[in-house]
Amino acid sequence: MASFRGVVVRSGIFQRSIFQSRACFSTDSTGNPVIDLPGLGKLKGSSTKGAWSGTNIFQFLNIRYAEPANGERRFKPPVPVKPWDGVEDVSTYKLGSPVYYCMKKYSPEQLAQNQEDCINLCVYTKDVNAKKPVIVYVHGGMFYDGAARHFPPNYIMEKDVVLVVPQYRLGPLGFLSTRSKNIPGNAGVLDVILALEWVQKNISNFGGDPSQVTVMTQSSGACMMSAIMFSPVVDTEKLFHKLIIQSGSCFASWGYDQNPQANARHMAELAGCAPKATLEEVEAFLLELDTYKLLKAFAQHYRIGIQKKGIDNVGGCRMVTGCPNGLFPILPYHTMRKGYVRKNLPLLIGTMKHDGTFALLDIFLVLAQRKLLGNKTVNSYSMIDVVNQIMGMDDPNGVTSSLQTALFFSQNQLIEGNLAKMLPSFSDVAATCLMKGPTLKLAQVNAQHQPNNTYLYSFDYRGEHTRFGFGVDVNQLPFDGGVHHNDDLMYLFPYPPKASKLNDADTTIAKRVVDLWTSFACDGVPKAEGVPEWPSMSRVCGPYLKIDSTFTVAENYTDEFKATLRDPTAIAKKHKPSL
């Protein structure tokens, strides 16, 4: 990063005390751990066990680090939590940030809870008196889905680290914007920044070392965490010291809302706001709207936006530039081009072998809605343009589509116009444009300054389970997920429940991946038994590690752009239940 000075967040969004004292640790009559955090209050946690050794893990679940974002605080930057009286019970998981399809299943008791009291975090530790490296996992979920409770500690905490999993505001509560002081935008990003501030101030009370913090993150979380490295108001050097990026980058087309004000207005109109309302009236309407109705309107807006415009024209689940708090005055890519780059960051970064099939699912559904399936002429001449538009990469000059055609499609495919036979090509197009290309660019930017501390990988292992579909009925699709986006998480966290019992082969992979990730967090060098030495990214496109049943080192990461075309059977339709 350029030579900024001041506190961690220079704009004055947050403030922190420089005076810290040691917490008091005890256990209650039932053996539950109790910590008295200086300046805040007491917390009662609980215990769980390591998945492989049975080691005891203290867990403090959904600790509030910001005040509830209700009323006038909705959409605004988070307010640091105030001290509390008594003992706060954080022994069990709470509801996460509200998500529409989840709220539809809530009980009346759950719906009666304060849904916007969701800015909290989970801390897992084995020894509060130690001084261990800290891993802060920032989850993904397309900016509108996911929950801290989906990332339990039972694999990672087999190692000598402290794990923190923040919950931040999702969907419109965290990412709606009109670029005004009323709905500034990027609230979810600011939540995570405040969580990292909280870690710096408090993690030593849980046995963590605030000078050894590694952020580990995936998908939209990776987009956020890499983006803040290019923010002029955030000094990431004082927040974290290493970064693990899994399938995501701030350079991706899907990370930013290009028309936030129009999208906010559309959402309000879907919820019943007058079409000719002023911007101030729209904002007042959204501030007062019931949480469930807000999320329902967002879900409707999302479906309409994806179908008609593409992923870069959907509001309420993207970051925005030009917001009043100054977090991202311009796109991180343009900031990077101006030379504002953090130059001292050890980075472990990579993607999944078939990282495009999650997007291919949405693309296929949109094509069906637009009644474009089965049209040979469209398949041959304009399908690549349609797909680019859906992916937020509309190409009026024709250069991108021409290069994609040359790289991913044969002349025979185009002449025949059979979409089923073109699916492996479109899988690689989606993976390259949405994940692999932007991820490689981020790795290259870092390797220019840290060639000995940048580690690149491709996750190629296909295990017993898959998360392909995210709940969608994949039986209607003419393709499979392959080594799918998110599948790597099953080897780091025992979730979802159906995938928490790994077979022997999958357990071996999980242990090796956990060893690689945690050794990088602890020592800066990823290593594991049974894995060859992982060379750093000393050249423009490699070398890189291929994570599979047998781990190997390859030389040119751009070879991964055609991973599906090299083996089209990998995404051929087969029966395998989605989790």
Side-chain angles (χ1 to χ4, degrees), residues 129 365 456 545:
N129 295 312
L365 295 178
L456 183 62
L545 185 70

Side-chain angles (χ1 to χ4, degrees), residues 66-79:
E67 291 295 306
N70 294 98
E72 289 299 315
R73 288 179 180 166
R74 178 185 276 186
F75 308 128
K76 307 294 195 305
V79 176

Side-chain angles (χ1 to χ4, degrees), residues 19 275 303 318 451:
F19 301 104
R303 288 194 298 271
R318 301 287 185 267

Side-chain angles (χ1 to χ4, degrees), residues 28-61:
D28 65 12
S29 59
T30 60
N32 286 322
V34 177
I35 281 186
D36 189 353
L37 286 182
L40 288 176
K42 292 183 179 181
L43 298 167
K44 183 183 79 171
S46 57
S47 297
T48 186
K49 300 291 183 181
W52 303 316
S53 70
T55 186
N56 189 63
I57 303 165
F58 296 127
Q59 54 183 8
F60 300 86
L61 307 174

